Amino acid sequence: MTAEAPPLGLYVHWPYCARICPYCDFNVYRARGRGGEAQDLAGALLSDLAAQAALTGPRRLVSIFFGGGTPSLAPPELVADIIARARSLWRADADLEISLEANPTDAEARRFADFAAAGVNRLSLGVQSFDDAALAFLGRDHDAAAARRALALAADLFPRLSLDLIYARPDQSRAAWAAELGEALASGAEHISPYQLTIEPGTAFARALARGRLVPPDEDHAAALFDDTQDILQAAGFEAYEVSNHARGEAARARHNLVYWQGWDYAGIGPGAHGRLTLGGVRHALEGLARPADYIARVGESGAGFAAVEPLDPVAKAEERVLSGLRIDAGLAYSEVTVLGLSPQDERVMGLVELGMLADDPQRLRATRAGRLLLDEVTRRLLL
């Protein structure tokens, strides 16, 4: 009997934003003046989807995630078409998770009902903060009142609701952050993703930092905010199943994100979208051309929008498993990374266990709470 092909997630990248946030380093573009290009992109996405399904062959589809950019700016009818096409190309789970990222502006909230009708059953809302001054600092197009209105509407329309928050902002106090978490908990969302503000190279915030106009909190204060986040959410019944993701029980966990962190296959369509597919028994890294116009042209030429299709050798595959698997509470089995020489008896592992960064677990490589806070350092030491 042949083994069943690995299950599959689908990521769809909509690259356009009304405004580029100063902390964002994603592959995004201002939507203004790109109406014609966006129409062409809609057709390209559907063509790329079919081309990648031909590559993968029959698979069990467990999740679809519309990310960006701002996919809540995409036409709801396109979202519906992609969902229907994906269901026809692969064998969809009966409880297929279909997530869409959205901003809580009033204009976008007016489209929520259309996205629910299109088949989206999980909304990920980029609230980021409930403080107006913080939202202005973060370059957001909404205020706290709009966020509250969008949350209430989303809770009525979608069976599952997640919200994103950004903390460790300049001059943010622990009391103020605790109050924001309290409001997030009161919203009724089943999933909360609190992200520490990071200053990424090439962003507006990176330029402000270089000029001395932005001063992030020191490491001790950021660590205290991290600990407060874990304590407050845990006390409210949320499990920290990943470094920056907390769910009210196992059923509320983001299935699509677990596809990434568990090392499952996923197809990525759209400009700059990444994918990982097992083709001919070998795991491949795939990436779409970044610029929308280039991506559209490549799809027109070859059916798919790939800039690169690269087979991963056993070492590269195992290193990816460490980087992704350590992010979740379950970690990863040592048997998945024997090619790296990692085992409970390995000096690198034993040293990190002694420091309290890794769990003392003979079967699985797992980061502790302290290890998650310093995950970059933990993975650096393991992959020396």
Side-chain angles (χ1 to χ4, degrees):
M1 178 182 293
T2 59
E4 183 180 5
L8 185 75
L10 171 64
Y11 174 76
V12 182
H13 189 74
W14 187 257
Y16 305 116
C17 291
R19 181 179 182 180
I20 308 300
C21 297
Y23 53 84
C24 179
D25 68 339
F26 296 160
N27 185 45
V28 297
Y29 303 84
R30 285 288 296 270
R32 183 179 300 171
R34 292 181 178 266
E37 181 182 83
Q39 288 182 353
D40 292 340
L41 178 61
L45 291 173
L46 290 165
S47 296
D48 195 359
L49 182 59
Q52 294 204 40
L55 276 179
T56 67
R59 293 285 181 95
R60 179 169 67 90
L61 184 66
V62 298
S63 67
I64 303 174
F65 192 98
F66 292 88
T70 309
S72 51
L73 295 176
E77 57 271 21
L78 171 62
V79 171
D81 287 346
I82 290 173
I83 293 169
R85 184 71 62 86
R87 285 182 173 277
S88 72
L89 291 168
W90 293 294
R91 178 168 54 88
D93 273 1
D95 59 345
L96 179 67
E97 177 188 272
I98 306 174
S99 302
L100 181 134
E101 291 181 331
N103 286 331
T105 66
D106 288 332
E108 287 165 76
R110 285 194 289 269
R111 312 174 83 202
F112 286 178
D114 292 332
F115 287 119
V120 173
N121 54 31
R122 181 179 182 273
L123 196 74
S124 179
L125 201 58
V127 171
Q128 312 310 2
S129 177
F130 291 103
D131 177 82
D132 284 339
L135 289 168
F137 163 74
L138 293 169
R140 304 297 290 168
D141 272 347
H142 68 275
D143 59 15
R148 295 181 183 109
R149 289 192 295 270
L151 270 171
L153 180 60
D156 286 339
L157 287 170
F158 297 95
R160 301 179 60 193
L161 176 61
S162 176
L163 62 89
D164 291 355
L165 296 170
I166 294 177
Y167 71 103
R169 307 183 303 258
D171 301 320
Q172 183 181 29
S173 71
R174 294 173 68 179
W177 175 229
E180 288 194 63
L181 282 175
E183 185 158 1
L185 290 167
S187 73
E190 65 169 16
H191 189 280
I192 298 174
S193 298
Y195 297 100
Q196 282 206 12
L197 178 64
T198 54
I199 311 300
E200 302 292 351
T203 62
F205 274 177
R207 294 188 289 273
L209 180 66
R211 294 174 187 142
R213 293 168 52 193
L214 186 155
V215 181
D218 62 39
E219 289 184 4
D220 288 343
H221 188 61
L225 290 168
F226 174 84
D227 283 336
D228 290 346
T229 303
Q230 313 310 306
D231 293 340
I232 291 169
L233 293 178
Q234 183 177 355
F238 278 73
E239 302 166 342
Y241 73 99
E242 194 268 346
V243 173
S244 300
N245 287 269
H246 302 248
R248 198 193 301 271
E250 189 168 347
R253 297 181 177 193
R255 194 174 311 157
H256 185 81
N257 289 342
L258 285 168
V259 166
Y260 300 151
W261 300 322
Q262 293 175 151
W264 291 7
D265 276 13
Y266 58 97
I269 67 169
H274 290 255
R276 293 292 184 274
L277 295 177
T278 303
L279 307 172
V282 177
R283 188 165 170 88
H284 286 68
L286 306 96
E287 181 179 357
L289 285 161
R291 291 181 63 249
D294 294 339
Y295 171 82
I296 292 165
R298 180 63 57 83
V299 171
E301 295 164 0
S302 63
F306 297 138
V309 179
E310 178 187 356
L312 298 177
D313 64 33
V315 170
K317 179 182 176 181
E319 288 178 343
E320 281 200 351
R321 283 298 296 126
V322 172
L323 291 168
S324 61
L326 279 179
R327 297 189 64 86
I328 56 175
D329 57 352
L332 63 150
Y334 280 108
S335 59
E336 297 182 75
V337 291
T338 52
V339 69
L340 300 178
L342 293 173
S343 72
Q345 293 76 39
D346 182 80
E347 289 184 0
R348 293 165 293 178
V349 173
M350 293 174 66
L352 287 165
V353 169
E354 197 170 313
L355 290 171
M357 301 292 184
L358 290 178
D360 188 4
D361 184 333
Q363 302 298 324
R364 301 187 69 81
L365 189 62
R366 294 190 293 113
T368 62
R369 176 161 152 177
R372 290 192 195 182
L373 176 61
L374 299 172
L375 196 56
D376 286 346
E377 177 63 15
V378 171
T379 53
R380 186 190 69 78
R381 292 193 185 196
L382 289 173
L383 300 178
L384 283 173

